Amino acid sequence: MTEPFMLDLHTYLERLGYSSAPPPTLDTLRELQARHTAEFPFETLASMLRVPVEVEPAAIQDKLLRQGRGGYCFELNRLYLLLLQALGFDARGLTGRVVMGGPEDALPARTHMLVLVTLGGVRYITDVGFGGMVPTGPLLLDNEAEQSTPHEPYRLTLVDGTYTLRALVAGSWRAMYVFDLQKVADIDYVVGNWYVCTHPDSPFRGQMIAARTGPDLRKTLNNGSFAIHRLGQASERVQLQSVDEVLKVLREEFGIRVPEHPERREIIERLIVGA
């Protein structure tokens, strides 16, 4: 018989800089989202190494809180949802379709998870697992005006029951993902995650992607290309030349304890050469 999952709330909050549980308010939600995206990196190292990604809460908690790792949306947002619920927020998971870099009317698989929070009858979306363009503050769901965050402005539009999230990047509004409010079951996360970590068409399979936020900046790693994007400035990009450089950047810039794997160096070397 499987033991019921217990969220290690004390360790989780400690990692986020809290000595005690904060109240379930909008200010707390804003602070949690900003701190979470800065503390827990987005990363696809398991998919790069072709190691199965587990999305059971106990496995995610162990990976994020004890293994020195990050994860992607089905890990980061799933544990974040449990944190919000433990703190007393009215929160539930949603799934979406990523359209960033492609046509807005495409209908790719539901490979993104985000969170809906209702505070005093007002609905917000909050997301800590969308990689290099993750929103760093909650966004009013029922408002189509431009909304500020600690980083880029975002806006939400609604057409025929489908919401589109856009970010203002280099002067233009670019679609990130689309989603709706249909009820989500745990099996939906399992199916979406299975596609992301195993399907040949998944953009993460065999790829090394990492992202983390900081004050007025974002850090991204795409195979061998490391970049620091500062608000209002040109991006600084460096092409990493060796496996040791990559491991150092993952450790020092993203705070990731890179997992051991017999083919780790060979895989990273291949990604650098192909970048």
Side-chain angles (χ1 to χ4, degrees):
M1 183 176 176
T2 305
E3 290 189 12
F5 172 70
M6 292 289 291
L7 183 68
D8 185 351
L9 187 59
H10 174 75
T11 300
Y12 203 169
L13 288 174
E14 196 172 55
R15 284 284 300 274
L16 293 170
Y18 291 94
S19 57
S20 60
T25 64
L26 180 56
D27 283 344
T28 294
L29 186 63
R30 287 193 181 108
E31 195 66 35
L32 281 172
Q33 188 166 345
R35 293 187 188 192
H36 206 290
T37 58
E39 176 65 23
F40 294 101
F42 179 96
E43 51 110 328
T44 65
L45 299 186
S47 302
M48 176 191 79
L49 299 169
R50 300 179 191 261
V51 174
V53 175
E54 298 181 65
V55 288
E56 290 305 310
I60 303 171
Q61 176 165 268
D62 185 60
K63 184 178 180 183
L64 267 60
L65 301 188
R66 299 186 177 89
Q67 293 181 24
R69 298 285 304 282
Y72 53 51
C73 67
F74 290 112
E75 302 168 281
L76 295 169
N77 276 329
R78 188 141 195 223
L79 204 65
Y80 177 60
L81 171 59
L82 294 172
L83 170 65
L84 294 177
Q85 292 170 337
L87 292 175
F89 284 96
D90 177 356
R92 67 180 178 93
L94 302 175
T95 57
R97 308 176 192 273
V98 178
V99 295
M100 184 172 65
E104 287 189 28
D105 58 354
L107 283 176
R110 290 180 178 268
T111 58
H112 186 56
M113 177 189 175
L114 62 152
V115 178
L116 176 70
V117 171
T118 304
L119 282 164
V122 180
R123 300 185 296 183
Y124 299 84
I125 62 161
T126 181
D127 185 345
V128 297
F130 194 62
M133 281 304 301
V134 64
T136 50
L139 301 169
L140 280 163
L141 181 69
D142 302 301
N143 185 334
E144 297 200 352
E146 177 180 321
Q147 301 186 51
S148 62
T149 74
H151 291 77
E152 295 80 6
Y154 288 77
R155 60 188 294 250
L156 286 158
T157 53
L158 173 63
V159 177
D160 297 332
T162 296
Y163 294 87
T164 301
L165 175 69
R166 294 182 177 85
L168 186 60
V169 181
S172 64
W173 288 101
R174 300 184 189 178
M176 301 287 111
Y177 55 80
V178 300
F179 63 97
D180 55 34
L181 304 183
Q182 74 174 35
K183 186 175 181 180
V184 176
D186 285 351
I187 189 62
D188 295 317
Y189 306 137
V190 174
V191 170
N193 175 69
W194 179 85
Y195 179 95
V196 169
C197 73
T198 66
H199 197 279
D201 292 341
S202 168
F204 295 162
R205 191 165 182 261
Q207 300 298 304
M208 178 171 52
I209 303 168
R212 191 178 185 184
T213 67
D216 297 327
L217 62 81
R218 296 179 183 272
K219 299 175 185 179
T220 60
L221 178 67
N222 193 332
N223 293 331
S225 178
F226 172 56
I228 298 179
H229 313 277
R230 301 182 192 278
L231 292 184
Q233 299 180 36
S235 297
E236 304 166 27
R237 298 183 185 276
V238 177
Q239 186 61 44
L240 304 178
Q241 302 296 324
S242 70
V243 173
D244 288 333
E245 275 189 274
V246 169
L247 295 175
K248 182 179 180 182
V249 163
L250 286 169
R251 182 176 64 250
E252 296 183 1
E253 300 289 349
F254 295 94
I256 298 170
R257 191 184 307 156
V258 183
E260 295 294 337
H261 187 279
E263 297 175 42
R264 184 177 76 176
R265 295 188 71 88
E266 178 187 333
I267 290 170
I268 293 174
E269 179 73 37
R270 191 162 61 241
L271 290 172
I272 295 171
V273 172

